[in-house]
Amino acid sequence: MRSLDVDCKISVYCTINGSEDVNKVRTAVSNILTDMDEKLTDDSFAANSDNYESLTKIYETMRSRKTKNAYRRHLMRNMTEDSTWFYLNKQAAFANAIALCDEADESPLGPIKIVLHSKNIEDVTQKKSEGYCSDIFTEEAIKFIEEN
């Protein structure tokens, strides 16, 4: 499999509540993202990846459920100069489902926060269209995933 040339770092953050099993939180994150370097503390879980393909499961779900517009809204609303982010429901992730959250409190045990970092964040999130329209993957990334 050839690699995709996209300059983007993916970071994942979530809290670990006293009532939660650390391994279940780890499973929740690994159910939605791949190829992540994990860091665990007593009350939080963080993971990072420079591999853009880590987002494949999210993209496939987004595409199959036709929820691209919802992701676009979140990415646009949360965009800064070099990053953007969105929340996913932690309990749904544990059940191997991907559910976008509008607000952190929509996930009772706290959300999983996915952050995309890039010096060219607009290029990373932009999809071919007239005007500006964000998407998690560029056209190059979409083509790569569909071919592999």
Side-chain angles (χ1 to χ4, degrees):
M1 185 186 288
R2 63 191 168 92
S3 69
L4 182 63
D5 185 24
V6 176
D7 179 27
C8 182
K9 178 182 172 188
I10 299 110
S11 298
V12 178
Y13 306 97
C14 64
T15 58
I16 300 173
N17 299 300
S19 62
E20 289 182 292
D21 180 336
V22 172
N23 290 320
K24 288 184 178 183
V25 174
R26 181 179 283 127
T27 298
V29 173
S30 67
N31 281 345
I32 58 172
L33 297 160
T34 60
D35 192 32
M36 303 292 289
D37 296 322
E38 303 172 2
K39 182 179 179 185
L40 190 61
T41 66
D42 290 339
D43 63 350
S44 68
F45 179 92
N48 293 296
S49 178
D50 291 326
N51 184 352
Y52 203 54
E53 295 170 47
S54 297
L55 299 167
T56 300
K57 291 179 184 179
I58 295 171
Y59 171 73
E60 289 171 354
T61 299
M62 176 184 70
R63 193 174 104 190
S64 70
R65 292 189 188 163
K66 299 180 181 175
T67 57
K68 289 181 183 181
N69 289 337
Y71 282 90
R72 283 186 188 119
R73 281 191 305 275
H74 287 272
L75 292 171
M76 289 295 294
R77 179 182 67 202
N78 301 321
M79 189 176 292
T80 64
E81 187 175 308
D82 62 354
S83 70
T84 189
W85 58 272
F86 56 95
Y87 290 131
L88 296 177
N89 184 293
K90 191 189 317 178
Q91 290 171 297
F94 179 74
N96 211 18
I98 296 174
L100 187 64
C101 297
D102 285 325
E103 301 294 330
D105 61 3
E106 288 179 30
S107 185
L109 296 175
I112 297 172
K113 185 175 183 178
I114 312 290
V115 184
L116 307 177
H117 307 271
S118 177
K119 292 178 184 176
N120 302 310
I121 194 64
E122 289 183 14
D123 292 339
V124 169
T125 60
Q126 187 171 346
K127 182 180 178 183
K128 182 182 173 186
S129 68
E130 292 183 18
Y132 184 81
C133 178
S134 69
D135 198 10
I136 288 180
F137 293 96
T138 62
E139 284 297 308
E140 179 184 4
I142 291 169
K143 184 177 179 183
F144 175 82
I145 289 168
E146 289 175 346
E147 291 174 354
N148 293 290

Short mmCIF file of all heavy atoms in Angstrom, two decimals, residues 57-94:
data_model
loop_
_atom_site.label_atom_id
_atom_site.label_comp_id
_atom_site.label_asym_id
_atom_site.label_seq_id
_atom_site.Cartn_x
_atom_site.Cartn_y
_atom_site.Cartn_z
N LYS A 57 -11.59 4.94 9.48
CA LYS A 57 -12.87 4.45 10.01
C LYS A 57 -13.90 5.58 10.12
O LYS A 57 -15.07 5.39 9.83
CB LYS A 57 -12.68 3.79 11.37
CG LYS A 57 -11.94 2.47 11.30
CD LYS A 57 -11.77 1.88 12.68
CE LYS A 57 -10.96 0.61 12.65
NZ LYS A 57 -10.78 0.06 14.01
N ILE A 58 -13.44 6.75 10.54
CA ILE A 58 -14.34 7.89 10.65
C ILE A 58 -14.83 8.29 9.26
O ILE A 58 -16.03 8.51 9.06
CB ILE A 58 -13.65 9.08 11.35
CG1 ILE A 58 -13.34 8.71 12.79
CG2 ILE A 58 -14.52 10.34 11.28
CD1 ILE A 58 -12.47 9.71 13.52
N TYR A 59 -13.93 8.35 8.31
CA TYR A 59 -14.31 8.72 6.95
C TYR A 59 -15.32 7.72 6.37
O TYR A 59 -16.33 8.12 5.79
CB TYR A 59 -13.09 8.82 6.03
CG TYR A 59 -13.51 8.99 4.60
CD1 TYR A 59 -14.04 10.21 4.17
CD2 TYR A 59 -13.45 7.95 3.70
CE1 TYR A 59 -14.48 10.37 2.87
CE2 TYR A 59 -13.89 8.11 2.41
CZ TYR A 59 -14.39 9.31 1.99
OH TYR A 59 -14.83 9.46 0.71
N GLU A 60 -15.06 6.43 6.54
CA GLU A 60 -15.96 5.42 5.99
C GLU A 60 -17.35 5.53 6.60
O GLU A 60 -18.36 5.41 5.89
CB GLU A 60 -15.38 4.02 6.21
CG GLU A 60 -14.18 3.76 5.33
CD GLU A 60 -13.45 2.46 5.66
OE1 GLU A 60 -13.80 1.80 6.67
OE2 GLU A 60 -12.53 2.12 4.92
N THR A 61 -17.44 5.78 7.89
CA THR A 61 -18.73 5.94 8.54
C THR A 61 -19.43 7.20 8.05
O THR A 61 -20.62 7.20 7.72
CB THR A 61 -18.58 6.00 10.07
OG1 THR A 61 -18.00 4.78 10.50
CG2 THR A 61 -19.90 6.23 10.76
N MET A 62 -18.67 8.28 7.97
CA MET A 62 -19.21 9.55 7.50
C MET A 62 -19.77 9.39 6.09
O MET A 62 -20.87 9.87 5.79
CB MET A 62 -18.10 10.60 7.52
CG MET A 62 -18.46 11.94 6.98
SD MET A 62 -17.04 13.04 6.93
CE MET A 62 -16.06 12.28 5.64
N ARG A 63 -19.05 8.70 5.26
CA ARG A 63 -19.48 8.51 3.87
C ARG A 63 -20.70 7.59 3.78
O ARG A 63 -21.66 7.87 3.07
CB ARG A 63 -18.33 7.94 3.05
CG ARG A 63 -18.59 8.01 1.57
CD ARG A 63 -17.38 7.58 0.82
NE ARG A 63 -17.67 6.23 0.33
CZ ARG A 63 -16.80 5.44 -0.22
NH1 ARG A 63 -15.55 5.81 -0.33
NH2 ARG A 63 -17.15 4.26 -0.65
N SER A 64 -20.69 6.48 4.53
CA SER A 64 -21.80 5.54 4.45
C SER A 64 -23.10 6.11 5.04
O SER A 64 -24.18 5.78 4.59
CB SER A 64 -21.45 4.22 5.14
OG SER A 64 -21.37 4.39 6.54
N ARG A 65 -22.99 6.97 6.03
CA ARG A 65 -24.18 7.57 6.66
C ARG A 65 -24.55 8.91 6.03
O ARG A 65 -25.51 9.54 6.46
CB ARG A 65 -23.94 7.78 8.15
CG ARG A 65 -23.85 6.50 8.90
CD ARG A 65 -23.83 6.80 10.37
NE ARG A 65 -23.57 5.61 11.14
CZ ARG A 65 -23.17 5.62 12.39
NH1 ARG A 65 -23.01 6.77 13.01
NH2 ARG A 65 -22.96 4.50 13.02
N LYS A 66 -23.73 9.34 5.10
CA LYS A 66 -23.96 10.62 4.43
C LYS A 66 -24.05 11.77 5.43
O LYS A 66 -24.97 12.58 5.40
CB LYS A 66 -25.20 10.54 3.55
CG LYS A 66 -25.06 9.49 2.46
CD LYS A 66 -26.27 9.40 1.60
CE LYS A 66 -26.02 8.30 0.57
NZ LYS A 66 -27.17 8.04 -0.27
N THR A 67 -23.06 11.82 6.33
CA THR A 67 -23.03 12.85 7.36
C THR A 67 -21.91 13.87 7.13
O THR A 67 -21.49 14.54 8.05
CB THR A 67 -22.87 12.22 8.76
OG1 THR A 67 -21.67 11.43 8.77
CG2 THR A 67 -24.07 11.38 9.13
N LYS A 68 -21.44 13.97 5.90
CA LYS A 68 -20.34 14.90 5.60
C LYS A 68 -20.68 16.33 5.99
O LYS A 68 -19.83 17.05 6.50
CB LYS A 68 -19.97 14.84 4.12
CG LYS A 68 -19.27 13.59 3.72
CD LYS A 68 -18.91 13.63 2.25
CE LYS A 68 -18.28 12.33 1.81
NZ LYS A 68 -17.90 12.35 0.41
N ASN A 69 -21.91 16.75 5.75
CA ASN A 69 -22.28 18.14 6.08
C ASN A 69 -22.16 18.43 7.56
O ASN A 69 -21.74 19.52 7.95
CB ASN A 69 -23.69 18.45 5.59
CG ASN A 69 -23.76 18.55 4.08
OD1 ASN A 69 -22.76 18.81 3.42
ND2 ASN A 69 -24.94 18.33 3.52
N ALA A 70 -22.51 17.47 8.40
CA ALA A 70 -22.38 17.67 9.85
C ALA A 70 -20.91 17.83 10.22
O ALA A 70 -20.55 18.71 11.01
CB ALA A 70 -23.00 16.51 10.61
N TYR A 71 -20.05 16.98 9.67
CA TYR A 71 -18.62 17.11 9.95
C TYR A 71 -18.08 18.43 9.43
O TYR A 71 -17.29 19.10 10.09
CB TYR A 71 -17.84 15.94 9.34
CG TYR A 71 -17.94 14.68 10.15
CD1 TYR A 71 -18.95 13.76 9.92
CD2 TYR A 71 -17.02 14.41 11.15
CE1 TYR A 71 -19.05 12.60 10.67
CE2 TYR A 71 -17.10 13.25 11.90
CZ TYR A 71 -18.12 12.35 11.66
OH TYR A 71 -18.21 11.20 12.40
N ARG A 72 -18.52 18.84 8.24
CA ARG A 72 -18.10 20.13 7.69
C ARG A 72 -18.42 21.27 8.65
O ARG A 72 -17.59 22.14 8.88
CB ARG A 72 -18.80 20.39 6.36
CG ARG A 72 -18.25 19.63 5.22
CD ARG A 72 -18.92 20.07 3.92
NE ARG A 72 -18.50 19.18 2.88
CZ ARG A 72 -19.31 18.42 2.16
NH1 ARG A 72 -20.61 18.48 2.35
NH2 ARG A 72 -18.83 17.62 1.24
N ARG A 73 -19.65 21.27 9.17
CA ARG A 73 -20.04 22.34 10.11
C ARG A 73 -19.12 22.38 11.32
O ARG A 73 -18.69 23.44 11.76
CB ARG A 73 -21.49 22.15 10.55
CG ARG A 73 -22.52 22.61 9.55
CD ARG A 73 -23.91 22.66 10.15
NE ARG A 73 -24.34 21.40 10.75
CZ ARG A 73 -24.89 20.38 10.09
NH1 ARG A 73 -25.08 20.48 8.79
NH2 ARG A 73 -25.27 19.29 10.73
N HIS A 74 -18.84 21.21 11.88
CA HIS A 74 -17.97 21.16 13.07
C HIS A 74 -16.55 21.61 12.74
O HIS A 74 -15.95 22.36 13.51
CB HIS A 74 -17.96 19.74 13.65
CG HIS A 74 -19.22 19.38 14.34
ND1 HIS A 74 -19.44 19.66 15.66
CD2 HIS A 74 -20.35 18.80 13.88
CE1 HIS A 74 -20.65 19.25 16.00
NE2 HIS A 74 -21.23 18.73 14.93
N LEU A 75 -16.03 21.14 11.64
CA LEU A 75 -14.66 21.51 11.26
C LEU A 75 -14.55 23.01 10.98
O LEU A 75 -13.58 23.65 11.39
CB LEU A 75 -14.20 20.70 10.06
CG LEU A 75 -14.00 19.21 10.33
CD1 LEU A 75 -13.76 18.46 9.03
CD2 LEU A 75 -12.87 18.97 11.31
N MET A 76 -15.54 23.57 10.32
CA MET A 76 -15.51 25.01 10.04
C MET A 76 -15.67 25.83 11.31
O MET A 76 -14.95 26.79 11.53
CB MET A 76 -16.64 25.37 9.05
CG MET A 76 -16.39 24.87 7.64
SD MET A 76 -14.98 25.66 6.87
CE MET A 76 -15.57 27.33 6.77
N ARG A 77 -16.62 25.43 12.15
CA ARG A 77 -16.89 26.17 13.39
C ARG A 77 -15.69 26.16 14.34
O ARG A 77 -15.43 27.14 15.03
CB ARG A 77 -18.11 25.56 14.09
CG ARG A 77 -18.47 26.24 15.39
CD ARG A 77 -19.65 25.60 16.08
NE ARG A 77 -19.28 24.27 16.51
CZ ARG A 77 -20.14 23.29 16.75
NH1 ARG A 77 -21.42 23.46 16.59
NH2 ARG A 77 -19.72 22.11 17.15
N ASN A 78 -14.94 25.06 14.35
CA ASN A 78 -13.85 24.89 15.30
C ASN A 78 -12.47 25.17 14.72
O ASN A 78 -11.46 24.93 15.38
CB ASN A 78 -13.89 23.47 15.87
CG ASN A 78 -15.20 23.19 16.57
OD1 ASN A 78 -15.76 24.06 17.24
ND2 ASN A 78 -15.71 21.99 16.39
N MET A 79 -12.41 25.69 13.51
CA MET A 79 -11.12 25.91 12.85
C MET A 79 -10.40 27.12 13.42
O MET A 79 -11.00 28.17 13.66
CB MET A 79 -11.32 26.08 11.35
CG MET A 79 -10.00 26.09 10.58
SD MET A 79 -10.22 26.17 8.79
CE MET A 79 -10.94 24.56 8.48
N THR A 80 -9.10 26.93 13.67
CA THR A 80 -8.21 28.03 14.04
C THR A 80 -7.18 28.14 12.93
O THR A 80 -7.31 27.51 11.89
CB THR A 80 -7.51 27.76 15.38
OG1 THR A 80 -6.67 26.62 15.24
CG2 THR A 80 -8.53 27.54 16.50
N GLU A 81 -6.13 28.89 13.19
CA GLU A 81 -5.10 29.09 12.17
C GLU A 81 -4.44 27.78 11.73
O GLU A 81 -4.13 27.62 10.55
CB GLU A 81 -4.04 30.04 12.72
CG GLU A 81 -3.01 30.45 11.70
CD GLU A 81 -2.06 31.48 12.26
OE1 GLU A 81 -2.53 32.50 12.80
OE2 GLU A 81 -0.85 31.25 12.16
N ASP A 82 -4.24 26.85 12.67
CA ASP A 82 -3.51 25.63 12.31
C ASP A 82 -4.15 24.34 12.83
O ASP A 82 -3.50 23.31 12.88
CB ASP A 82 -2.07 25.72 12.79
CG ASP A 82 -1.96 25.83 14.29
OD1 ASP A 82 -2.99 25.96 14.97
OD2 ASP A 82 -0.82 25.79 14.80
N SER A 83 -5.44 24.40 13.20
CA SER A 83 -6.09 23.18 13.67
C SER A 83 -7.60 23.28 13.56
O SER A 83 -8.15 24.36 13.37
CB SER A 83 -5.69 22.88 15.12
OG SER A 83 -6.26 23.82 15.99
N THR A 84 -8.24 22.15 13.72
CA THR A 84 -9.69 22.07 13.82
C THR A 84 -10.01 20.81 14.60
O THR A 84 -9.14 19.94 14.76
CB THR A 84 -10.39 22.09 12.45
OG1 THR A 84 -11.80 22.21 12.66
CG2 THR A 84 -10.07 20.87 11.62
N TRP A 85 -11.22 20.69 15.11
CA TRP A 85 -11.54 19.54 15.95
C TRP A 85 -13.03 19.23 15.93
O TRP A 85 -13.84 20.04 15.48
CB TRP A 85 -11.09 19.79 17.39
CG TRP A 85 -11.69 21.00 18.03
CD1 TRP A 85 -11.19 22.28 17.98
CD2 TRP A 85 -12.91 21.08 18.77
NE1 TRP A 85 -12.03 23.14 18.66
CE2 TRP A 85 -13.09 22.43 19.15
CE3 TRP A 85 -13.88 20.16 19.15
CZ2 TRP A 85 -14.18 22.86 19.90
CZ3 TRP A 85 -14.98 20.58 19.90
CH2 TRP A 85 -15.11 21.91 20.27
N PHE A 86 -13.36 18.03 16.44
CA PHE A 86 -14.74 17.62 16.62
C PHE A 86 -14.80 16.58 17.74
O PHE A 86 -13.78 16.01 18.11
CB PHE A 86 -15.35 17.07 15.32
CG PHE A 86 -14.59 15.93 14.70
CD1 PHE A 86 -14.95 14.61 14.96
CD2 PHE A 86 -13.52 16.17 13.85
CE1 PHE A 86 -14.26 13.56 14.39
CE2 PHE A 86 -12.82 15.12 13.28
CZ PHE A 86 -13.19 13.81 13.55
N TYR A 87 -16.00 16.39 18.29
CA TYR A 87 -16.23 15.42 19.35
C TYR A 87 -16.92 14.17 18.82
O TYR A 87 -17.81 14.27 17.97
CB TYR A 87 -17.16 15.99 20.43
CG TYR A 87 -16.62 17.08 21.30
CD1 TYR A 87 -17.35 18.24 21.50
CD2 TYR A 87 -15.41 16.94 21.97
CE1 TYR A 87 -16.89 19.25 22.34
CE2 TYR A 87 -14.94 17.94 22.81
CZ TYR A 87 -15.68 19.09 22.98
OH TYR A 87 -15.23 20.08 23.81
N LEU A 88 -16.54 13.02 19.39
CA LEU A 88 -17.24 11.77 19.15
C LEU A 88 -17.70 11.20 20.48
O LEU A 88 -17.06 11.40 21.51
CB LEU A 88 -16.33 10.76 18.44
CG LEU A 88 -15.87 11.15 17.03
CD1 LEU A 88 -14.92 10.10 16.47
CD2 LEU A 88 -17.05 11.36 16.10
N ASN A 89 -18.80 10.48 20.47
CA ASN A 89 -19.35 9.87 21.67
C ASN A 89 -18.50 8.68 22.09
O ASN A 89 -18.30 7.75 21.31
CB ASN A 89 -20.79 9.44 21.41
CG ASN A 89 -21.46 8.90 22.63
OD1 ASN A 89 -21.10 7.85 23.15
ND2 ASN A 89 -22.48 9.61 23.10
N LYS A 90 -18.00 8.71 23.33
CA LYS A 90 -17.11 7.66 23.84
C LYS A 90 -17.82 6.32 23.98
O LYS A 90 -17.27 5.27 23.64
CB LYS A 90 -16.52 8.09 25.18
CG LYS A 90 -15.39 7.20 25.64
CD LYS A 90 -14.92 7.48 27.07
CE LYS A 90 -14.77 8.90 27.46
NZ LYS A 90 -14.37 9.07 28.88
N GLN A 91 -19.05 6.32 24.48
CA GLN A 91 -19.79 5.07 24.66
C GLN A 91 -20.12 4.42 23.32
O GLN A 91 -20.01 3.20 23.17
CB GLN A 91 -21.07 5.30 25.46
CG GLN A 91 -20.78 5.63 26.91
CD GLN A 91 -22.04 6.08 27.63
OE1 GLN A 91 -22.63 7.09 27.30
NE2 GLN A 91 -22.42 5.32 28.65
N ALA A 92 -20.48 5.22 22.33
CA ALA A 92 -20.73 4.68 20.99
C ALA A 92 -19.45 4.09 20.42
O ALA A 92 -19.47 3.01 19.81
CB ALA A 92 -21.27 5.78 20.08
N ALA A 93 -18.33 4.78 20.63
CA ALA A 93 -17.05 4.28 20.13
C ALA A 93 -16.71 2.93 20.74
O ALA A 93 -16.20 2.04 20.06
CB ALA A 93 -15.94 5.29 20.40
N PHE A 94 -17.00 2.76 22.03
CA PHE A 94 -16.74 1.47 22.67
C PHE A 94 -17.57 0.37 22.01
O PHE A 94 -17.12 -0.76 21.87
CB PHE A 94 -17.03 1.52 24.17
CG PHE A 94 -16.80 0.20 24.84
CD1 PHE A 94 -15.50 -0.24 25.07
CD2 PHE A 94 -17.86 -0.60 25.22
CE1 PHE A 94 -15.26 -1.47 25.66
CE2 PHE A 94 -17.64 -1.83 25.82
CZ PHE A 94 -16.33 -2.28 26.04
#
